[in-house]
Amino acid sequence: AALSAEHMLLNLSVENIYSEWLNNIRKAQRIDGALPGIVPTPGWGFDWGNGPAWDSVLIYLPYFTYIYRGDKKILEDNATAIFRYLDYISKKRDEKGLIAIGLGDWCPVGKGAADYDAPLELTDSVVCFDICTKAAFIFETLGLTLQQEFAFELGTTFKESIRENLIDFDTMTVAGNCQTSQAISIFYNVFEENEKPAAFNVLMDLINKSDDHMTTGVIGGRVLFHVLSEFGESDLAYKMITRKDYPSYGNWIER
């Protein structure tokens, strides 16, 4: 739902469903701010199927619903739960300031569901950085200044930790040396604007080495084609999506 929120809002009237579902998610949130991977849960949902990439639904649905519909109520309804979640993830960082809990770049092409090329500490920490960025926007929109400052500062620490520990700036290569690692670091602005062209060149090399096939899981797949289009490679994105040989979306349709 987090990954497809914009797709859904552009095509369907899902805001009422989203609001009701978020009500159930808030009720399932643990006292320490943690979210389960399934709602409702007898308990196991807190031990598997969650983590920042999945928990992001609590932030992404209100954020994108507001962006596309302009109704502040969904922000107001979820602001407290979002702040509780930020407090939770702030306490889950390791000594490097990174997070590695829950699911990562789920179902990478041609591999086991959890056999990610992108390290979990990278995908989790990048998603946390984006969660904090969007949460800061939500709090600013609602006039919650202290919460906004907390979200902004937490997000800044995530970005700094990623840049310090997971990027080789001599080669502009992100840990994992894969399409997902490179694409999410560009898309979510872990790289600065002046660094992005060199980082994009690395991404292009990775794509060319895979014979212009996608090799991502769901997290990288969400942003890969947007990054290509942003850097003038829309034709390549279209080719990768529509080609009929495996792996591609076109291959799914062909079969």
Side-chain angles (χ1 to χ4, degrees):
L3 293 171
S4 65
E6 287 186 276
H7 183 178
M8 298 290 281
L9 285 158
L10 284 165
N11 288 279
L12 301 165
S13 297
V14 291
E15 50 270 33
N16 289 340
I17 295 171
Y18 279 178
S19 294
E20 177 58 25
W21 191 36
L22 284 162
N23 179 46
N24 291 321
I25 292 172
R26 293 195 305 274
K27 288 180 178 180
Q29 188 175 31
R30 208 163 56 190
I31 190 80
D32 65 352
L35 293 171
I38 182 171
V39 175
T41 178
W44 67 261
F46 289 102
D47 300 319
W48 189 90
N50 55 355
W54 267 249
D55 301 340
S56 64
V57 69
L58 177 66
I59 295 86
Y60 283 19
L61 293 195
Y63 174 84
F64 284 118
T65 301
Y66 175 73
I67 293 297
Y68 285 97
R69 298 290 187 268
D71 187 350
K72 281 187 180 180
K73 187 176 187 306
I74 197 168
L75 303 186
E76 295 166 347
D77 288 346
N78 292 281
T80 299
I82 292 171
F83 186 72
R84 286 173 61 198
Y85 184 74
L86 293 190
D87 180 59
Y88 165 74
I89 61 170
S90 73
K91 297 169 182 174
K92 288 295 181 179
R93 292 170 292 176
D94 61 19
E95 67 280 356
K96 296 182 290 186
L98 303 170
I99 285 186
I101 54 174
L103 304 184
D105 194 31
W106 196 242
C107 297
V109 170
K111 297 185 175 184
D115 295 333
Y116 328 123
D117 289 324
L120 181 60
E121 64 177 356
L122 173 72
T123 53
D124 268 0
S125 300
V126 170
V127 169
C128 283
F129 170 46
D130 190 53
I131 284 173
C132 290
T133 301
K134 287 178 169 58
F137 172 86
I138 290 170
F139 296 142
E140 181 181 20
T141 302
L142 296 176
L144 301 172
T145 305
L146 293 177
Q147 291 89 331
Q148 176 196 353
E149 291 175 356
F150 180 83
F152 177 80
E153 291 172 6
L154 181 59
T156 299
T157 64
F158 276 120
K159 180 175 180 178
E160 291 173 347
S161 296
I162 297 163
R163 288 174 61 87
E164 181 178 345
N165 295 284
L166 298 175
I167 298 179
D168 180 351
F169 285 99
D170 291 332
T171 62
M172 287 297 175
T173 302
V174 188
N177 192 28
C178 64
Q179 292 179 15
T180 288
S181 295
Q182 211 68 23
I184 64 173
S185 299
I186 296 170
F187 185 84
Y188 293 115
N189 299 310
V190 177
F191 283 112
E192 304 295 348
E193 288 301 319
N194 65 319
E195 298 166 344
K196 286 184 178 182
F200 180 74
N201 288 338
V202 175
L203 175 61
M204 286 293 291
D205 287 341
L206 291 166
I207 292 171
N208 293 336
K209 286 176 182 176
S210 66
D211 191 29
D212 295 349
H213 284 99
M214 63 185 296
T215 59
T216 68
V218 294
I219 297 174
R222 168 65 182 82
V223 306
L224 175 63
F225 305 115
H226 290 290
V227 173
L228 287 172
S229 294
E230 180 184 344
F231 283 85
E233 293 288 347
S234 296
D235 287 345
L236 175 59
Y238 184 77
K239 173 187 175 183
M240 294 173 72
I241 292 167
T242 60
R243 61 188 305 167
K244 294 182 179 180
D245 59 328
Y246 175 86
S248 66
Y249 295 100
N251 183 254
W252 280 349
I253 295 170
E254 184 73 5
R255 289 194 281 158

